[in-house]
Amino acid sequence: MDLLFTQLLNGLTAGAEYALVAAGLALLFGILQIVNFAHGEFYMLAAFILYVLLAVVGLPYYAAAPLTVLLMACAGVLFYAIVISRVISRPWQIQLISTLALSIVMINLAIVLSGPTPRYVESPLNNVILDLGSVRISAQRVLVLLGTIVSFAALYLGLKYTRTGKAMRAVAQNREAAAVVGIGVPVIGLVTTVVAASFAGLAGALIAPLYAVGPTMAVLVNIKAFAAVIVGGFGNVKGAIVAAFVIGLLEAASTTLISTEYTDAIVFGGMILILLFRPNGLFGKAVRVG
Amino acid sequence: MPRTDTMLYLDGVSVAFDGFRAINNLSLVLDKGEMRAIIGPNGAGKTTMMDIITGKTRPDTGEVFFDGTIDLTRHDEADIAMLGIGRKFQKPTVFESHTVEDNLLLALKGKRSIFPTLFHRRSTLEEDRIGEILAVIRLEERRHDLAENLSHGQKQWLEIGMLLAQDPKLLLVDEPVAGMTDAETAETARLLRDIAKTHSVIVVEHDMHFVRELDVKVTCLHEGSVLSEGSLDFVSADERVVEVYLGR
């Protein structure tokens, strides 16, 4: 029973990691119709920023973590100005190649700058162990779960109740109509990109202390985040988040009940199964073409 | 009449697509505060005329002036919208998963740069304006309902409201009553007459019963130019209009 509960917590932590990355992906696709293949690398960049702020600059974790998110928001502004704004109205093939190229460049730059050796990020919360009955969990994992819940609640409230959020949803529904009624579509594009990058930043800031930081740390995370976006219903943020947690829990369950070797096969097999019965994803709507 | 007193002034406007003259030496004058109905068969150039006014299509020749002195041929679509020309397309394009009120809020005229967008706080002035528009478009009772739950006619009214929210001087309304019930059609005529008290309006419509209810000057287009102009009775009695459009 204790093992099951421990694995449940591990599954939720992994789910939170995938969800934070998937939420950004879903926002970018849902609002701007852009598939960002470099999004996972933003998570990797955030982890490296956190490492530099802690190990090189010498900031304490509680200062370095929010600063990482802030710097990733700035990276989002740059990403919008250099890439998104230039490819947003171009064919999807150009968008795909541009973001894929950026992903490769970021990974290779990280290899050149940091070397192949994995780095470890120290967080004081890693050493704080909480006793939940007979189950022990690090405070860092609790922070991951709390941070994820709070950030998603903020996203939900922001999209539902603020004028900017309403405008983002309007652009997602009909970009041309939004422009016609005077919504500043480029501004909404910038805001969306910044929010997506900030979520990747939050993922890096919260989760990097739990794992090794390296140039290819985000490759598998990115694939699983994409899986979550597809299973959740392309562009549906809520669906992507739910699917990400399902993937995390499925991983944990298969690790416990079957074997670590089969984890990915089971997860992606489950994804195929869902798509066979729900081709538009769990929360996706059928779209008539032609 | 001097051009400076007009809301819209088109003179000798022509535009061709692949050798086909969609607009052929078209001249049309709309006074300030006037509502005009535009009728004519398919391919007469009604949509192209609207495209020219809104900057979507550039004319090959001719003059297009707005509000007396503004040369529309020198401005792009976004500029023209900002200058005060609002267009409602045939198919309603409201934001279905937003409330009626939110649709109007998003359409309200205001600064669209980064800081006003991010740090907007709704003012009493905006509240009042939304209330006024809701009264005009007959949707006060549906204020908090999602747009997807409105009837087709009500969606058309909401879109007209979204146009009004941008505070245009001239409204271009394309086939507003297509697909509406008889009751909605009659109400739309009243609604547009109310709007015409404070705005200049051009209505493109095929429904002659609706055009009669508007009770305004009518321009009939054919092959890209004005075939006949005057009251509906005058235009309907014109042999050429009967021949090419109304049928015998």
Side-chain angles (χ1 to χ4, degrees):
Chain A
M1 190 65 194
D2 290 348
L3 177 66
L4 202 68
F5 191 60
T6 304
Q7 286 295 9
L8 174 73
L9 289 170
N10 288 340
L12 288 171
T13 308
E17 178 184 20
Y18 306 147
L20 288 167
V21 178
L25 275 172
L27 276 170
L28 284 170
F29 185 79
I31 296 169
L32 304 182
Q33 265 73 61
I34 280 188
V35 179
N36 178 18
F37 281 97
H39 195 66
E41 277 56 62
F42 278 73
Y43 164 53
M44 177 266 290
L45 176 63
F48 270 107
I49 288 172
L50 183 70
Y51 172 79
V52 169
L53 291 175
L54 290 169
V56 181
V57 181
L59 291 177
Y61 178 74
Y62 65 82
L67 189 54
T68 298
V69 178
L70 193 65
L71 288 170
M72 284 308 298
C74 297
V77 174
L78 275 175
F79 179 54
Y80 180 80
I82 296 165
V83 181
I84 300 283
S85 64
R86 293 163 196 266
V87 301
I88 194 163
S89 52
R90 307 289 296 277
W92 65 268
Q93 296 95 326
I94 289 171
Q95 296 175 3
L96 186 150
I97 293 297
S98 304
T99 58
L100 196 57
L102 181 64
S103 164
I104 294 163
V105 167
M106 285 176 79
I107 290 170
N108 284 284
L109 259 176
I111 291 168
V112 169
L113 295 173
S114 76
T117 320
R119 313 289 172 116
Y120 292 92
V121 171
E122 285 302 318
S123 162
L125 296 174
N126 263 343
N127 305 319
V128 178
I129 305 298
L130 305 173
D131 286 313
L132 305 173
S134 54
V135 176
R136 305 177 82 220
I137 180 174
S138 76
Q140 186 66 34
R141 283 184 187 271
V142 174
L143 180 67
V144 167
L145 295 173
L146 285 176
T148 304
I149 290 163
V150 169
S151 65
F152 287 150
L155 178 67
Y156 171 79
L157 294 170
L159 286 173
K160 192 163 173 64
Y161 296 110
T162 69
R163 185 174 180 163
T164 306
K166 287 168 184 175
M168 285 165 82
R169 282 162 45 219
V171 172
Q173 284 173 66
N174 190 331
R175 193 191 300 178
E176 279 184 13
V180 166
V181 301
I183 291 169
V185 176
V187 172
I188 296 304
L190 173 62
V191 171
T192 304
T193 310
V194 166
V195 172
S198 300
F199 269 103
L202 189 64
L206 294 176
I207 291 153
L210 299 175
Y211 305 115
V213 174
T216 57
M217 66 180 283
V219 174
L220 204 56
V221 174
N222 207 20
I223 292 168
K224 285 171 184 173
F226 263 107
V229 170
I230 293 162
V231 170
F234 237 107
N236 187 308
V237 180
K238 179 178 71 176
I241 292 165
V242 170
F245 278 104
V246 168
I247 288 170
L249 291 167
L250 204 56
E251 271 184 9
S254 61
T255 301
T256 312
L257 304 172
I258 304 162
S259 164
T260 315
E261 292 169 8
Y262 298 110
T263 299
D264 288 340
I266 289 163
V267 166
F268 288 105
M271 173 184 146
I272 291 164
L273 210 61
I274 289 168
L275 292 175
L276 281 173
F277 292 101
R278 302 267 310 177
N280 302 299
L282 294 172
F283 296 88
K285 287 188 176 80
V287 177
R288 185 173 175 166
V289 180
Chain B
M1 174 195 289
R3 191 182 69 204
T4 46
D5 296 340
T6 64
M7 181 53 71
L8 191 66
Y9 179 93
L10 280 76
D11 187 34
V13 176
S14 294
V15 66
F17 302 112
D18 300 323
F20 168 70
R21 281 208 160 190
I23 296 290
N24 185 14
N25 197 30
L26 173 67
S27 296
L28 184 141
V29 177
L30 183 78
D31 294 339
K32 289 179 179 174
E34 182 190 352
M35 174 154 65
R36 177 80 57 90
I38 308 284
I39 63 169
N42 290 329
K46 302 186 297 292
T47 302
T48 309
M49 183 193 79
M50 300 274 247
D51 288 345
I52 288 167
I53 296 165
T54 56
K56 196 174 181 181
T57 300
R58 287 240 184 278
D60 300 328
T61 58
E63 293 184 324
V64 185
F65 281 88
F66 168 63
D67 203 10
T69 55
I70 300 163
D71 184 352
L72 294 181
T73 63
R74 296 181 183 276
H75 295 273
D76 64 14
E77 263 186 287
D79 276 351
I80 289 170
M82 292 295 285
L83 286 168
I85 296 179
R87 182 176 184 177
K88 198 206 87 59
F89 291 89
Q90 196 175 333
K91 184 175 177 285
T93 48
V94 298
F95 303 117
E96 305 245 324
S97 67
H98 288 62
T99 63
V100 168
E101 182 178 25
D102 282 345
N103 269 276
L104 295 175
L105 174 72
L106 289 169
L108 280 175
K109 193 173 186 175
K111 291 195 177 82
R112 303 298 175 187
S113 55
I114 185 87
F115 289 105
T117 299
L118 284 176
F119 305 111
H120 172 267
R121 287 280 172 274
R122 201 187 300 194
S123 65
T124 322
L125 209 68
E126 284 182 334
E127 283 290 348
D128 294 346
R129 183 75 185 117
I130 288 171
E132 283 169 23
I133 295 166
L134 284 167
V136 171
I137 62 172
R138 284 75 169 151
L139 291 176
E140 286 163 299
E141 303 296 307
R142 309 298 301 268
R143 184 180 195 128
H144 301 296
D145 293 357
L146 291 179
E148 67 184 357
N149 297 329
L150 300 177
S151 69
H152 172 73
Q154 289 170 326
K155 283 179 187 173
Q156 295 278 26
W157 298 344
L158 175 55
E159 196 176 359
I160 290 168
M162 288 164 78
L163 264 189
L164 290 174
Q166 292 163 66
D167 209 16
K169 294 175 184 173
L170 170 65
L171 278 84
L172 308 175
V173 186
D174 201 354
E175 296 195 34
V177 297
M180 281 192 191
T181 64
D182 290 346
E184 285 175 336
T185 299
E187 195 56 54
T188 303
R190 283 194 286 275
L191 187 155
L192 287 171
R193 285 204 303 270
D194 287 350
I195 290 168
K197 290 170 187 169
T198 51
H199 297 78
S200 300
V201 186
I202 290 179
V203 183
V204 170
E205 190 49 75
H206 281 295
D207 185 329
M208 299 310 288
H209 178 67
F210 172 71
V211 172
R212 184 167 295 283
E213 286 196 33
L214 288 178
D215 189 28
V216 293
K217 189 174 179 180
V218 175
T219 299
C220 180
L221 298 187
H222 178 56
E223 292 179 349
S225 56
V226 175
L227 184 65
S228 183
E229 196 167 79
S231 69
L232 182 60
D233 289 334
F234 174 81
V235 170
S236 301
D238 190 319
E239 280 296 315
R240 295 168 305 164
V241 175
V242 173
E243 183 76 38
V244 304
Y245 184 51
L246 298 177
R248 295 191 181 277

